[in-house]
Amino acid sequence: MSKTHFPKIKTIRYEGPASGKALAFKHYNPAEIIDGKPLKDHLRFSIAYWHSFRGVGADPFGPGTVKRPWEKGKDPLSIAKVRMDAAFEFFTKIQAPFYAFHDRDIAPEGATLVKSNRNLDAIVAHAKQLQKATGIKLLWGTANLFSNPRYMCGAATNPDAHVFAYAAAQVKKALDVTKALGGENYVFWGGREGYETLLNTNLKREQDHLATFLHMAVDYAKAIGFKGQFLIEPKPKEPTKHQYDFDVASGIAFLRTYGLDKNFKFNIETNHATLAGHTFQHEIEVAAAAKMLGSIDANSGDLLLGWDTDQFNTDVKELTLAMLSIQRAGGLGLGGFNFDAKLRRPSIDSEDLFHAHIGGMDAYALAFKLARKILAEGKFEKFITERYASYDSDYGREIERRKIGFKELEKLALKKLGEPVPRSGRQEYLENLLNSYLHG
């Protein structure tokens, strides 16, 4: 890291809400102590290598618009090392304690798997040095099993066993690399694990194969002593028409069906939730109810567009609702908030990377603090407790304990209870109450 790749930008500091400085945090103070630990340890922000350092602004209608000065060198491997230097300089200056990557993000793919692994080993050695020098850690690693044409019909769900075997070898190496770099999680995103048409698909067999693949990963992780958390990242569609990990609920059903539910939690992405027809908070609540909430891919989508736009999320209301659910669940544990978000196509300056992440980090930090205040005052908790109070005693408690059946309840309804009296859900009051925190 001898060369400075962002020479005009110093480390981003917290200056408070009154600051008029663009390159400063208004709400995210990494060192602020909350409940006995720094805010940075509550939020565990992570930078997505693929968007921030491999994204070029390309879209289906045109090639990339972003040209970075560090993308020069005598060969792909030397370029990858300089790119990583630039990335770690950015991680340090934005004060993000973690980063995340796919194997092919950090190291160029070779003509053979042997050459790809050799390239990866060289870059991992470089990453180890940079992690040691900066204190930046790896939140999670994963393997890119969707970009190369060999995976056009899936990886673990591919109809060709040869592709399955190749994917297994690639994930084995990615797990080795993640362990070597001290990664705290490993993510499975099945971008091509689905189908385009059922005319050529044996759905049952493909799901069986996917489960077998995941069991193999669990077995190998145990064999090498990898202690990190395995995460599933649901998405309903795109790039395939239908992906098997459609949403958290279908993911839970899949994992339980195949006996994998004790080995996996969920990495929930905001934009994927909305593509599935859910809110971000809904997906968090479903995972938390099953005790399978693992980590967050921090972004948002454009509700006017029907695809995964991966934008930086600055919607404090949406994030506050999400933070309420996360804090009620006890936090993310080994997970964190990974900025799986990319600059807009016309945002071509290196400085734009800082503005985007500052906005995101401030929004999540503010939402965290608002949610903490809401929970401390307990007004919503009290309302919900009172709304369900009839289940805390008498026959309501017996219902929850399964100590009573239809016959007993029929007798109660006919001879004692009579007609229920409707009670208002008071949604409008609660929405106004939420706004009093957001705008108070």
Side-chain angles (χ1 to χ4, degrees):
M1 293 182 66
S2 58
K3 181 179 178 181
T4 299
H5 298 279
F6 302 94
K8 297 181 180 179
I9 299 177
K10 297 179 180 179
T11 300
I12 307 302
R13 302 295 183 188
Y14 171 75
E15 295 192 6
S19 173
K21 187 176 178 182
L23 291 173
F25 292 123
K26 314 301 187 299
H27 301 285
Y28 178 55
N29 180 359
E32 181 180 357
I33 301 299
I34 296 177
D35 295 334
K37 66 180 181 180
L39 183 56
K40 68 181 180 67
D41 292 341
H42 285 284
L43 295 172
R44 293 166 60 88
F45 285 135
S46 169
I47 309 300
Y49 206 95
W50 52 99
H51 283 320
S52 292
F53 288 90
R54 298 312 309 269
V56 295
D59 67 19
F61 303 97
T65 56
V66 176
K67 300 186 188 316
R68 300 299 188 206
W70 53 79
E71 292 291 324
K72 296 177 182 177
K74 61 182 180 180
D75 56 64
L77 195 57
S78 63
I79 295 172
K81 289 182 178 179
V82 176
R83 180 189 301 124
M84 184 166 277
D85 290 342
F88 271 82
E89 181 183 343
F90 177 78
F91 303 157
T92 303
K93 287 185 172 180
I94 202 68
Q95 295 201 64
F98 294 96
Y99 72 113
F101 64 74
H102 301 83
D103 51 359
R104 302 303 181 237
D105 297 330
I106 59 172
E109 185 162 13
T112 66
L113 186 59
V114 170
K115 292 181 179 178
S116 294
N117 288 348
R118 193 175 298 149
N119 289 342
L120 199 52
D121 287 338
I123 294 299
V124 167
H126 194 56
K128 274 187 177 180
Q129 294 175 342
L130 293 172
Q131 286 185 195
K132 183 177 181 180
T134 62
I136 306 296
K137 299 178 182 179
L138 179 62
L139 184 67
W140 52 260
T142 188
N144 182 331
L145 302 180
F146 48 87
S147 292
N148 192 289
R150 77 174 69 89
Y151 297 126
M152 66 181 182
C153 295
T157 61
N158 200 288
D160 187 347
H162 185 172
V163 177
F164 183 106
Y166 196 104
Q170 190 175 333
V171 169
K172 175 190 174 296
K173 184 64 176 180
L175 279 167
D176 291 335
V177 165
T178 301
K179 180 177 182 290
L181 292 175
E184 299 189 18
N185 304 267
Y186 186 91
V187 169
F188 291 86
W189 176 61
R192 305 276 181 193
E193 311 295 23
Y195 63 80
E196 302 292 346
T197 175
L198 288 171
L199 292 173
N200 63 8
T201 300
N202 185 327
L203 185 147
K204 174 65 165 57
R205 205 168 185 183
E206 288 196 359
Q207 290 187 324
D208 288 348
H209 293 168
L210 177 57
T212 296
F213 193 93
L214 296 178
H215 273 293
M216 289 179 178
V218 170
D219 292 343
Y220 184 69
K222 290 178 180 178
I224 64 173
F226 176 63
K227 303 299 184 183
Q229 174 67 58
F230 274 174
L231 302 169
I232 297 285
E233 183 175 327
K235 189 178 183 181
K237 58 186 177 182
E238 193 189 281
T240 57
K241 182 172 75 172
H242 175 87
Q243 289 173 206
Y244 294 131
D245 51 358
F246 186 93
D247 60 5
V248 172
S250 62
I252 292 171
F254 173 86
L255 293 172
R256 287 177 175 169
T257 298
Y258 289 98
L260 289 159
D261 50 303
K262 303 303 181 189
N263 304 110
F264 288 83
K265 292 185 178 180
F266 287 93
N267 182 50
I268 297 171
E269 180 176 317
T270 317
N271 205 167
H272 294 179
T274 52
L275 286 174
H278 306 308
T279 65
F280 180 31
Q281 186 185 23
H282 168 87
E283 289 290 82
I284 294 169
E285 286 283 343
V286 174
K291 301 188 183 305
M292 297 172 76
L293 176 61
S295 195
I296 300 294
D297 261 13
N299 64 18
S300 68
D302 190 321
L303 296 181
L304 298 181
L305 301 175
W307 61 88
D308 195 0
T309 54
D310 285 333
Q311 297 172 223
F312 283 85
N313 197 339
T314 56
D315 185 338
V316 175
K317 179 179 180 180
E318 179 180 47
L319 296 180
T320 299
L321 291 170
M323 287 293 186
L324 282 170
S325 295
I326 291 169
Q327 290 180 34
R328 284 184 184 124
L332 297 175
L334 293 176
F337 293 91
N338 176 56
F339 285 104
D340 187 2
K342 59 189 174 186
L343 297 175
R344 299 302 89 195
R345 182 173 163 83
S347 299
I348 60 174
D349 295 342
S350 296
E351 187 175 300
D352 293 326
L353 272 175
F354 287 88
H355 291 300
H357 285 86
I358 289 169
M361 293 163 92
D362 266 344
Y364 281 85
L366 177 56
F368 176 87
K369 294 175 185 178
L370 287 170
R372 186 170 173 271
K373 180 180 179 182
I374 290 169
L375 291 174
E377 294 188 2
K379 295 178 182 178
F380 288 92
E381 307 305 294
K382 181 181 178 183
F383 181 92
I384 293 172
T385 298
E386 291 176 351
R387 192 173 187 222
Y388 292 89
S390 62
Y391 287 96
D392 295 331
S393 62
D394 200 17
Y395 65 91
R397 181 185 297 168
E398 298 301 289
I399 290 172
E400 288 197 342
R401 294 177 176 178
R402 297 185 183 177
K403 300 292 187 181
I404 196 170
F406 277 4
K407 288 183 179 180
E408 294 86 354
L409 291 172
E410 180 193 42
K411 184 177 179 181
L412 277 171
L414 290 172
K415 296 185 177 181
K416 182 179 179 181
L417 299 177
E419 183 67 25
V421 178
R423 298 172 58 202
S424 175
R426 304 187 69 193
Q427 180 175 333
E428 292 76 15
Y429 157 74
L430 294 170
E431 289 172 344
N432 291 344
L433 179 59
L434 177 63
N435 280 335
S436 73
Y437 287 98
L438 296 176
H439 307 296

